[in-house]
Amino acid sequence: MPKQILKSQKLRNNEYYDTQEIFDGLYERSSKGEIFKNLMGLISSDNNIRLAYRNIRNNGGSDTAGVDGYTIEQVKSLSEKEFIEKVKTKLKWYQPKAVRRVEIEKYPGSGKYRPLGIPTIEDRLVQQCILQVLEPICEAKFYDKSYGFRPNRSCENALAQANSYMYAGKLHFVVDVDIKGFFDNVDHSKLIKQMWALGIRDKKLISIIKEMLKAPIKMPDGEIVYPTKGTPQGGILSPLLSNIVLNELDWWVQSQWVEIPTRHEYSCKDSKMNMLKKHTKLKEMYIVRYADDFKIFCRSYAVAEKVFHAVKQWLKERLRLDISEEKSKITNLRKKYTEFLGIRLKVRKKRKELVTTSHMTEKAIQKVTRNLISQVTAIQMAKDRKDRYAQVQKYNSMVIGVHNYYSMAVLVSQDCGRIARQVNCVMKNRFGKELKSRKQIERMKHKKNRKRRQKKRYAGIKIIINKSIVERYGSSEQLRFLDGFAVAPIGYVKMRVPMKKAQTVNKYTPQGRGEIHRKLRMDLSTIRTLMETVDRRRTIQFTDNRISRYVAQGGKCYVTGKILQNGEIYCHHKKEGKKKDDSYGNLVIVHKDIHKLIHAKKQEDIRHYFSKYGKYINLGKLNRLRKAINNFEIKENVLDNSNAK
């Protein structure tokens, strides 16, 4: 699921569970500098716990087990009441279980590994409950040019800001600082002090976070390690905690120039900047940060050199963090490239002015090439045609992912052309004449329809053209077909201009959510009624998926297509067994009378409901639901007789 859809869905979730106004209030109070001493009541509230489940259930990591071997599957079977009580009990006497350490290879064949810590599913739910309440408080205090792991911000926004400083700001010297093992070296006591300074002063909450930070780590060899510093990568709360640590750096850099206090107040920031340039000897600097990856842009080498040493010293003295001397440097962007978020950035001369240019990094090109060739092998090794189709689809999704992200680079077409030359060569060697162009496919389809004997000749070839691939790459001559399946061309890509974050967009203000509210078009009062009227003995999975189904169907009955009012809504299980399957795919929202019609066996009952709803009923949909529960199909003449009456 694309990231922008996930972000929009999380906002909708806040609306469904009636928590958005609470989060808005926290954001507003934090903006005014208020202190928060009683947050545990909000964290352990029923709706916040339900919201945590909804936000975490579709997370890819929810299917990954911790040290206890449990995943989200074990949680789904709990009744809603049991689930809420379990989380509340955990919050009341919080003792985290060990974090399972796994080593993830950075990319195939690199020999370099990234350590990840996987908490148990219970601990992840607790962390999600805390994150939902802490995020609005912290967002009000975070600096605007920080983009990593924050709502409504992305790599695209960070790259757009960096481009703006290089081109519009003409800041052609950049300070690259690489913090050595940042996530493993965060100082716990310093982090707690920073949270206290942000106004988070609930002692019970602080003690829970301390316990989280000190949770034992179970290494791959079974050894138990007790950490004294660091936040485990993989924990739900870790990204927020890392931003809290480096938020102090953001504001310190800005206090040296952009936010420096002046004797007179200026209505325009540009006027203030011009005054500082003319009448002071202050060092001009601007920071762009994405998690622990940040750049500081300067106007001259002399200033950049002073900034480099000042930042190095500040990190050591204030945050107790060391920098990597080999990876940290000052770059003249007129002569060399600097790397940021997988993109190489540089300034070049075009006619009479300097403009920014960018490529994919060499590491990114090699990684993409290696991954695509590996997937070509998977296509070749497919067991049958169905498996080959699945592998081709996976290859296509990889190509689309590369194009979606790296199209922000100005010269991405050159880079993807390099990748295409290697990947296409491998494809030709592996598949030979099986790989066909669009013209060959059209010619083949034409021949299939000419004569019966030619039909027999091509009868074994079924052509399946994925519409989304053809719509996106249909005009490209590079489009190829393998065994009738469209294969996305890696070399066909168009550059797009990365966009800055819109100033008005804000998850925690009514104005900032305006666009999402316009797209939502749902009666939130009905959704809240659905939540309040559910039988608490039902599983948490059923409670959550019922809301998802109602929203997905636009509040309409699946069979009649009519908008359902309070008191008319029924959530029907398509297939019924001894143990009810509460998965999303097995549920459908119908009118309560239509539910009775699905189960009806007597002709008089069927005629009664048809006389009442006959002109709205989609007989095909109704019969599919009846057939799924082993009930007989209703014939067309029943509908006709009912309408006649």
Side-chain angles (χ1 to χ4, degrees):
M1 190 178 285
K3 283 185 180 178
Q4 63 267 28
I5 294 175
L6 286 172
K7 287 177 181 177
S8 299
Q9 186 58 54
K10 285 185 178 181
L11 275 175
R12 290 186 175 99
N13 295 345
N14 292 351
E15 297 285 352
Y16 303 160
Y17 285 87
D18 202 17
T19 55
Q20 191 62 62
E21 287 184 14
I22 295 169
F23 297 155
D24 288 357
L26 291 172
Y27 180 86
E28 187 178 358
R29 288 168 58 197
S30 183
S31 300
K32 295 175 180 176
E34 289 190 29
I35 304 300
F36 300 89
K37 293 184 178 181
N38 299 297
L39 293 172
M40 285 306 298
L42 291 175
I43 290 168
S44 59
S45 67
D46 290 5
N47 275 356
N48 192 54
I49 293 171
R50 292 189 190 105
L51 177 63
Y53 172 81
R54 187 172 179 84
N55 283 333
I56 208 173
R57 64 169 186 155
N58 290 325
N59 188 320
S62 63
D63 294 323
T64 306
V67 293
D68 57 2
Y70 292 159
T71 67
I72 198 70
E73 287 301 319
Q74 282 72 35
V75 175
K76 286 177 182 177
S77 59
L78 295 173
S79 72
E80 185 179 9
K81 186 177 180 181
E82 287 174 332
F83 171 73
I84 291 172
E85 285 304 315
K86 195 176 184 69
V87 176
K88 283 186 174 182
T89 303
K90 185 86 175 174
L91 281 163
K92 197 171 182 179
W93 307 104
Y94 186 71
Q95 284 295 321
K97 292 182 181 176
V99 174
R100 183 166 72 91
R101 170 66 65 88
V102 294
E103 303 286 337
I104 305 295
E105 195 172 15
K106 290 187 175 180
Y107 50 88
S110 66
K112 296 179 180 178
Y113 294 85
R114 178 180 289 109
L116 290 181
I118 302 173
T120 63
I121 192 69
E122 283 186 12
D123 287 326
R124 274 176 271 175
L125 284 162
V126 168
Q127 289 188 29
Q128 183 66 35
C129 288
I130 294 171
L131 174 68
Q132 288 161 186
V133 172
L134 287 190
E135 188 178 73
I137 297 170
C138 295
E139 275 297 309
K141 301 286 178 65
F142 284 164
Y143 180 61
D144 189 51
K145 299 301 184 288
S146 158
Y147 297 95
F149 308 124
R150 293 181 62 188
N152 310 114
R153 294 163 189 266
S154 63
C155 295
E156 179 180 359
N157 303 144
L159 285 163
Q161 188 60 60
N163 278 326
S164 177
Y165 285 145
M166 292 164 62
Y167 175 64
K170 302 191 186 309
L171 300 158
H172 298 155
F173 291 88
V174 65
V175 176
D176 291 317
V177 178
D178 185 271
I179 301 173
K180 192 184 290 182
F182 170 70
F183 286 96
D184 292 330
N185 290 294
V186 168
D187 187 277
H188 292 175
S189 60
K190 178 65 181 176
L191 170 58
I192 297 302
K193 288 175 185 174
Q194 288 173 316
M195 291 180 68
W196 195 267
L198 289 176
I200 302 164
R201 299 184 185 178
D202 185 316
K203 293 182 180 179
K204 174 71 174 175
L205 173 59
I206 293 290
S207 67
I208 288 175
I209 290 172
K210 282 181 180 179
E211 291 297 323
M212 282 180 184
L213 294 170
K214 293 188 292 184
I217 300 170
K218 188 175 183 180
M219 305 301 285
D221 61 0
E223 181 189 359
I224 302 294
V225 175
Y226 295 88
T228 56
K229 59 181 179 178
T231 60
Q233 293 186 66
I236 287 174
L237 205 54
S238 292
L240 180 68
L241 298 180
S242 67
N243 273 329
I244 290 173
V245 172
L246 291 176
N247 183 52
E248 194 175 340
L249 170 69
D250 298 336
W251 284 108
W252 174 75
V253 171
Q254 293 310 109
S255 71
Q256 305 300 303
W257 179 256
V258 178
E259 301 292 338
I260 194 166
T262 54
R263 193 175 300 169
H264 304 287
E265 286 190 12
Y266 293 85
S267 57
C268 176
K269 243 181 185 178
D270 288 341
S271 301
K272 180 182 176 180
M273 297 299 105
N274 290 332
M275 184 280 296
L276 292 173
K277 288 174 190 176
K278 287 180 182 179
H279 303 292
T280 71
K281 293 184 179 180
L282 294 169
K283 297 180 284 293
E284 187 178 1
M285 60 176 89
Y286 303 85
I287 188 170
V288 179
R289 182 172 68 80
Y290 191 94
D292 62 327
D293 191 357
F294 65 91
K295 296 193 176 295
I296 301 174
F297 291 86
C298 306
R299 200 168 296 282
S300 68
Y301 181 82
V303 169
E305 192 173 29
K306 290 175 182 175
V307 169
F308 178 83
H309 293 294
V311 169
K312 177 183 173 181
Q313 185 178 348
W314 190 91
L315 285 169
K316 183 66 178 175
E317 291 178 359
R318 294 297 295 270
L319 302 185
R320 299 160 198 165
L321 295 168
D322 294 313
I323 71 166
S324 172
E325 296 288 352
E326 314 86 64
K327 297 179 182 178
S328 302
K329 58 187 176 182
I330 299 167
T331 304
N332 182 344
L333 295 172
R334 296 175 193 170
K335 296 180 180 179
K336 293 183 179 179
Y337 283 95
T338 185
E339 295 185 1
F340 190 41
L341 303 174
I343 305 288
R344 290 191 299 146
L345 303 165
K346 189 174 180 281
V347 173
R348 68 181 176 90
K349 197 166 185 179
K350 186 178 181 181
R351 297 187 183 93
K352 293 183 180 180
E353 63 176 346
L354 292 168
V355 297
T356 59
T357 188
S358 52
H359 280 278
M360 293 170 64
T361 61
E362 284 299 317
K363 192 181 287 185
I365 291 171
Q366 291 170 17
K367 180 181 176 181
V368 170
T369 305
R370 193 164 39 242
N371 289 346
L372 289 178
I373 290 174
S374 176
Q375 187 55 31
V376 169
T377 304
I379 295 170
Q380 185 188 21
M381 302 299 289
K383 295 176 288 186
D384 49 35
R385 196 166 190 271
K386 186 178 179 181
D387 186 31
R388 173 168 280 194
Y389 175 72
Q391 297 300 337
V392 169
Q393 290 301 96
K394 186 177 178 183
Y395 176 90
N396 290 345
S397 67
M398 290 166 70
V399 170
I400 291 170
V402 169
H403 288 171
N404 284 346
Y405 184 80
Y406 291 106
S407 58
M408 293 184 287
V410 175
L411 300 174
V412 64
S413 58
Q414 292 182 14
D415 302 326
C416 284
R418 281 178 57 191
I419 296 168
R421 281 190 285 276
Q422 294 186 60
V423 174
N424 292 346
C425 183
V426 172
M427 275 196 163
K428 285 177 184 177
N429 289 337
R430 301 281 174 87
F431 304 113
K433 291 182 180 179
E434 283 186 79
L435 207 62
K436 301 183 186 300
S437 68
R438 186 164 186 166
K439 287 181 180 178
Q440 289 173 313
I441 288 287
E442 292 297 329
R443 202 179 302 130
M444 190 170 71
K445 284 169 68 180
H446 178 68
K447 283 182 179 180
K448 279 180 69 177
N449 295 324
R450 280 176 62 185
K451 293 181 182 178
R452 192 172 291 179
R453 59 191 176 87
Q454 287 176 329
K455 278 186 181 181
K456 287 181 180 177
R457 183 181 170 189
Y458 293 99
I461 302 173
K462 293 180 181 178
I463 298 165
I464 298 175
I465 301 177
N466 188 301
K467 287 183 180 179
S468 62
I469 298 297
V470 174
E471 284 172 8
R472 184 163 181 159
Y473 302 107
S475 60
S476 171
E477 291 183 3
Q478 298 177 43
L479 184 66
R480 293 291 180 268
F481 294 84
L482 179 62
D483 200 12
F485 307 134
V487 180
I490 183 65
Y492 183 76
V493 59
K494 295 178 182 178
M495 182 265 170
R496 64 184 175 88
V497 178
M499 302 299 291
K500 286 186 181 180
K501 176 190 170 291
Q503 293 295 320
T504 54
V505 172
N506 190 324
K507 182 179 178 179
Y508 298 111
T509 63
Q511 297 80 8
R513 292 191 306 276
E515 188 63 27
I516 294 169
H517 281 299
R518 282 194 291 276
K519 289 179 181 176
L520 188 58
R521 296 176 185 172
M522 294 299 300
D523 183 358
L524 296 176
S525 64
T526 304
I527 294 172
R528 287 167 193 157
T529 303
L530 271 178
M531 291 168 50
E532 291 163 5
T533 56
V534 72
D535 185 345
R536 299 303 175 206
R537 292 170 294 181
R538 291 278 196 177
T539 66
I540 184 69
Q541 185 186 25
F542 173 83
T543 306
D544 191 70
N545 283 333
R546 185 171 72 147
I547 295 170
S548 297
R549 264 297 174 196
Y550 176 80
V551 174
Q553 291 176 213
K556 297 177 182 178
C557 172
Y558 173 75
V559 173
T560 65
K562 291 188 71 178
I563 295 288
L564 297 172
Q565 305 299 325
N566 281 328
E568 297 177 341
I569 302 165
Y570 193 93
C571 187
H572 168 72
H573 288 79
K574 294 177 184 177
K575 292 181 180 178
E576 296 179 337
K578 289 181 180 178
K579 187 177 180 182
K580 284 194 174 180
D581 176 10
D582 291 333
S583 64
Y584 178 81
N586 195 46
L587 301 180
V588 65
I589 298 295
V590 294
H591 191 288
K592 63 179 183 179
D593 287 347
I594 297 298
H595 176 253
K596 292 174 184 175
L597 178 58
I598 293 167
H599 289 272
K601 294 186 178 180
K602 293 180 180 179
Q603 288 297 328
E604 56 265 33
D605 292 337
I606 293 171
R607 290 194 188 95
H608 168 71
Y609 291 118
F610 265 104
S611 64
K612 199 171 180 181
Y613 303 102
K615 63 180 179 180
Y616 302 110
I617 289 173
N618 182 317
L619 193 59
K621 289 182 176 181
L622 175 63
N623 279 330
R624 279 197 291 275
L625 295 178
R626 286 176 63 87
K627 191 176 177 182
I629 60 168
N630 298 318
N631 205 347
F632 63 86
E633 291 188 24
I634 298 171
K635 304 299 181 184
E636 286 280 355
N637 60 353
V638 175
L639 180 59
D640 295 336
N641 293 338
S642 301
N643 287 337
K645 288 181 183 180

